[in-house]
Amino acid sequence: MSLNNVEIPYGAYWSTPFTKWQGSLQHLHAMKFAAWVAKSELAKRDIDPTSFDSGVLGMTNAQYQSFYGAPWPLYEIGATKTPGHMLSQVCATGVRGLFASASEIALGMAETSLLLTADRCSNGAHIYYPAPGGPGGYGQSEDQVTYNMQHDAIAGHSMIQTGENVAKKFAITREELDAVALRRYEQYQAALADDQAFQKRYMTLPFSVPAANFRKEAAVLTADEGVFPMTAEGLAKLRPVNEGGVVTFGNMTHPADGNASVVLTTADKAQAYATDASIRIKVCGFGQSRTDLAHMPEAPIEAANNALKMAGIDVKEVKAIKTHNPFAVNDVAFAKATGVDVMNMNNYGCSMIWGHPQGPTGMRAIIEMIEELVILGGGYGLFTGCAGGDQGMAVVIHVSDR
């Protein structure tokens, strides 16, 4: 399978602001909200939703009637005859969705695919699994979001513990983590400069938040919600989450809500969907990995190497690197393993700062990476990130003049 014919039309992507857990988007059904946003964003770009012959929905947290998957939001945007499916790979869902859409195009199954990524960590489902044959007929239940963050299905450890394990393996200190966290906050400020000029390249701001019935405006967001100011002194005062550890609430991410989407198509159709037809965005390679149990932040290293290998390039040729970094540990370990400068990764923002809605987390980072490459005049970009179950996925993108 060759990716030579797979492109992302410039500007044919978007993201909502991300909001904190139980914040301004908590009342919105993630699938309905993603469709509501997509319908508006497609109209702004004069893209006909009936032109999509494939649709992919990346989502990790159950919503009411999410059993039906992608056909529902596709119908809501007007793509009433477009087939599609839903997928989930926890934090790697954005890259996995990109791979799914790109694969269909590369295989000739589709010419133009809409990838919707959406999640709401707020108000996560409480799920009951009946067991009528069990003692007393009692079943099992779980709080889908909070319980699984704290209990790995295989070994029972929390995700924070995986950060501590990798910090120990790579001899990463608390001081290193706090320095990276502060740098990430400083990099995010560049996205807010000049009246949020960078974010407005892909995000509608101010953003009108609809009511739950989508018939009126409930609030207006002028920026991401849940980003807290950082100082070196403030970070140093925070206690580790685990006694004796190095991970604090200052050098890790937070749960969030939001959605992000992208159009993928063939090389000969990309110009028709682009807001600037002179820019070419090629999908060059993917990589995946699975590392040792309870070492999740290490997985992006091998995933990145595999994506670079498929793209046929070395990490030294990459001009922009973005990561999903639920912990600063991820970035420090990656930099130590690859030799890249940890302070030059994640320009303009990352999930450690603007939050982690899971499904759309990586998608927003990839969108930001594309815009950074355009500002730089083109070149290769690498996104890599971990996922629950000690996995990682990565993608290489190339931006150039057409």
Side-chain angles (χ1 to χ4, degrees), residues 72-97:
W72 181 12
L74 288 170
Y75 194 96
E76 291 295 314
I77 69 170
T80 58
K81 298 294 181 65
T82 302
H85 67 282
M86 181 170 67
L87 54 79
S88 169
Q89 195 176 351
V90 203
C91 322
T93 295
V95 188
R96 179 59 69 182

Side-chain angles (χ1 to χ4, degrees), residues 180-208:
V180 169
L182 185 60
R183 171 62 177 156
R184 297 293 176 259
Y185 179 71
E186 291 171 347
Q187 289 167 302
Y188 179 73
Q189 302 313 302
L192 306 181
D194 300 321
D195 191 30
Q196 298 164 278
F198 180 81
Q199 290 183 340
K200 287 179 178 178
R201 296 170 75 100
Y202 66 89
M203 184 186 297
T204 296
L205 291 170
F207 183 84
S208 175

Side-chain angles (χ1 to χ4, degrees), residues 158-175:
S158 69
M159 291 191 179
I160 290 174
Q161 187 59 53
T162 72
E164 294 290 357
N165 292 345
V166 173
K168 183 177 180 180
K169 179 174 181 177
F170 283 82
I172 298 170
T173 67
R174 165 72 182 273
E175 290 73 23

Side-chain angles (χ1 to χ4, degrees), residues 161-296:
Q161 187 59 53
T162 72
E164 294 290 357
N165 292 345
V166 173
K168 183 177 180 180
K169 179 174 181 177
F170 283 82
I172 298 170
T173 67
R174 165 72 182 273
E175 290 73 23
E176 287 179 284
L177 297 182
D178 285 356
V180 169
L182 185 60
R183 171 62 177 156
R184 297 293 176 259
Y185 179 71
E186 291 171 347
Q187 289 167 302
Y188 179 73
Q189 302 313 302
L192 306 181
D194 300 321
D195 191 30
Q196 298 164 278
F198 180 81
Q199 290 183 340
K200 287 179 178 178
R201 296 170 75 100
Y202 66 89
M203 184 186 297
T204 296
L205 291 170
F207 183 84
S208 175
V209 178
N213 61 8
F214 296 93
R215 294 177 183 172
K216 62 181 181 179
E217 183 178 86
V220 175
L221 289 171
T222 58
D224 295 310
E225 180 184 81
V227 178
F228 297 100
M230 287 188 188
T231 64
E233 296 76 17
L235 288 168
K237 290 179 181 178
L238 295 174
R239 298 182 63 180
V241 179
N242 294 346
E243 189 68 31
V246 294
V247 176
T248 73
F249 288 120
N251 59 42
M252 64 181 287
T253 188
H254 57 275
D257 304 333
N259 57 72
S261 300
V262 62
V263 175
L264 290 88
T265 190
T266 58
D268 61 339
K269 286 180 173 285
Q271 294 183 69
Y273 289 94
T275 57
D276 185 342
S278 68
I279 299 172
R280 169 176 283 169
I281 306 165
K282 296 189 68 174
V283 180
C284 301
F286 291 94
Q288 61 182 349
S289 67
R290 188 173 181 182
T291 191
D292 295 335
L293 184 66
H295 284 72
M296 182 180 72

Side-chain angles (χ1 to χ4, degrees), residues 310-355:
M310 180 182 284
I313 64 169
D314 185 86
V315 71
K316 294 178 182 177
E317 299 175 67
V318 175
K319 291 179 69 174
I321 298 176
K322 293 282 249 185
T323 65
H324 163 48
N325 45 5
F327 310 106
V329 170
N330 289 57
D331 288 356
V332 178
F334 181 84
K336 289 190 174 187
T338 61
V340 303
D341 186 348
V342 71
M343 296 303 186
N344 286 336
M345 300 160 50
N346 285 312
N347 291 316
Y348 300 104
C350 58
S351 55
M352 192 172 69
I353 301 301
W354 34 245

Side-chain angles (χ1 to χ4, degrees), residues 51-124:
S51 66
F52 302 129
D53 49 8
S54 166
V56 176
L57 171 65
M59 192 174 75
T60 71
N61 296 320
Q63 301 285 278
Y64 181 69
Q65 287 202 294
S66 56
F67 173 89
Y68 284 88
W72 181 12
L74 288 170
Y75 194 96
E76 291 295 314
I77 69 170
T80 58
K81 298 294 181 65
T82 302
H85 67 282
M86 181 170 67
L87 54 79
S88 169
Q89 195 176 351
V90 203
C91 322
T93 295
V95 188
R96 179 59 69 182
L98 203 66
F99 175 78
S101 289
S103 297
E104 291 190 7
I105 295 169
L107 289 169
M109 290 177 59
E111 291 188 331
T112 307
S113 179
L114 175 63
L115 167 60
L116 302 164
T117 62
D119 256 317
R120 185 182 68 182
C121 289
S122 297
N123 308 312

